[in-house]
Amino acid sequence: MPLPLLLMGLWAWRARLALILLLLWVGGAAAILLWPRGHVARAQVAPAETTSFAVSALLSPQSSWQGQGLDTRPGGNFAIYLAALRSPEAARMLTTETPLLQALERTRQDSPLAGLRASLGLNRTLDADDVLAWLERYMSVSQNLGSITWSLELTHADPGLALQALISLHNYAEAKVRADLADQAARRVAALEARLSGESDIFLRNSLYDLLAQQQRAGLVVAADEAVAARLIAVPMVEARPSRPNLPLLLGLWLLVAPLAVLMGAAGLILARSAFRDAALVTRRPAMQGD
């Protein structure tokens, strides 16, 4: 179909297209405004290797942060800290130390699909896997451009629960790294002491004593330092007003997308009708010629 004919067809449908567009605008705006909103709890952290005394430099002869060059990926204890924030163990911790599981259950029961889920027999009890899925969806970890700090954000409709969950996740990840380092140092000290008890060579004993002193120092640093993985730059805070999702942005996008969708749908319908009409004419001509 030529473009002028397509434009003429759209102009002929202008009244019904305007009505459809108005209905789409009203319905979409109502759905956006009724969308559940959440409060964002935020925290700013920095790798402990780059602030104050570098724990990795005290635990080993060379800091694990040195020599990375232009590589901006997290490394060392901080990388383990970030991975632990959204681990299955962290999800299980949230089910026991916070009322997050009960809040998710209440949200699911208040959903419009709760009745349909119950009628289909899909109304199972929530568990740690559901908390992990929620954590992967609503928690973001991003590096701030131009600095070594990282932003931790957690979104939930209850501001108190969002803040409590974020603090619990930070404490859990930091405690995990600390416990792993302390356990590693303790096992090395035990192995060195066992070796020393049966070693008679004076030169080997001196080398073993040096290694033992290093591991004892490592245990002391882990027990005494405030942060071994991530240092909090400021106390975690939660916003007073909900900001997720961004309603002005969604409304603006909907105002742009709805007209395009209506025009594209109408143009497709006109082109389809024209194609069917042409196909009918083509099939009709041989029949008329045969007659």
Side-chain angles (χ1 to χ4, degrees):
M1 173 183 285
L3 181 59
L5 292 180
L6 177 61
L7 295 179
M8 290 177 60
L10 292 176
W11 180 253
W13 288 2
R14 61 185 182 277
R16 66 185 70 178
L17 293 182
L19 179 60
I20 294 174
L21 178 59
L22 179 61
L23 294 177
L24 280 179
W25 269 342
V26 173
I32 292 174
L33 293 176
L34 293 176
W35 197 293
R37 306 196 69 191
H39 299 259
V40 180
R42 295 183 175 88
Q44 297 286 331
V45 298
E49 285 85 353
T50 61
T51 57
S52 184
F53 292 103
V55 177
S56 58
L58 296 175
L59 300 183
S60 60
Q62 183 179 2
S63 174
S64 62
W65 194 262
Q66 297 175 359
Q68 287 191 357
L70 299 177
D71 191 1
T72 59
R73 293 176 299 179
N77 299 326
F78 188 66
I80 301 175
Y81 166 85
L82 294 180
L85 289 174
R86 286 181 286 192
S87 63
E89 292 80 4
R92 286 196 293 268
M93 179 274 301
L94 289 177
T95 61
T96 57
E97 296 187 5
T98 66
L100 179 60
L101 193 62
Q102 293 78 4
L104 294 179
E105 182 65 32
R106 289 194 299 270
T107 302
R108 190 177 69 165
Q109 295 299 329
D110 295 339
S111 173
L113 300 178
L116 178 61
R117 189 184 299 110
S119 61
L120 295 177
L122 302 177
N123 198 15
R124 61 174 181 82
T125 304
L126 297 180
D127 52 20
D129 291 338
D130 298 287
V131 176
L132 179 60
W134 176 88
L135 197 60
E136 293 175 349
R137 180 178 179 182
Y138 290 101
M139 183 173 187
S140 63
V141 179
S142 57
Q143 185 177 15
N144 298 324
L145 299 178
S147 65
I148 61 172
T149 60
W150 291 67
S151 297
L152 309 180
E153 295 184 353
L154 189 64
T155 304
H156 195 272
D158 186 355
L161 182 56
L163 182 60
Q164 181 185 1
L166 183 61
I167 295 175
S168 299
L169 287 172
H170 168 75
N171 294 335
Y172 165 77
E174 179 70 24
K176 174 178 174 53
V177 176
R178 186 185 301 275
D180 291 344
L181 292 175
D183 181 67
Q184 182 185 66
R187 286 187 286 106
R188 290 180 177 179
V189 168
L192 289 171
E193 290 177 346
R195 178 66 184 276
L196 280 169
S197 62
E199 183 60 54
S200 59
D201 191 324
I202 185 64
F203 296 103
L204 290 178
R205 289 180 64 87
N206 290 335
S207 299
L208 292 174
Y209 274 124
D210 291 338
L211 293 175
L212 180 61
Q214 292 179 10
Q215 299 307 316
Q216 289 176 341
R217 180 183 64 177
L220 179 62
V221 169
V222 170
D225 199 64
E226 177 185 358
V228 297
R231 189 175 303 279
L232 280 173
I233 299 176
V235 178
M237 299 292 292
V238 63
E239 59 189 7
R241 292 175 295 180
S243 62
R244 299 284 177 85
N246 192 336
L247 295 186
L249 178 60
L250 292 179
L251 289 174
L253 292 176
W254 181 245
L255 290 177
L256 296 176
V257 170
L260 294 177
V262 171
L263 289 177
M264 294 298 292
L269 181 59
I270 292 175
L271 291 175
R273 293 179 62 180
S274 175
F276 283 122
R277 184 166 53 249
D278 294 342
L281 291 176
V282 170
T283 56
R284 190 180 304 170
R285 285 175 182 174
M288 295 176 61
Q289 292 176 358
D291 294 338

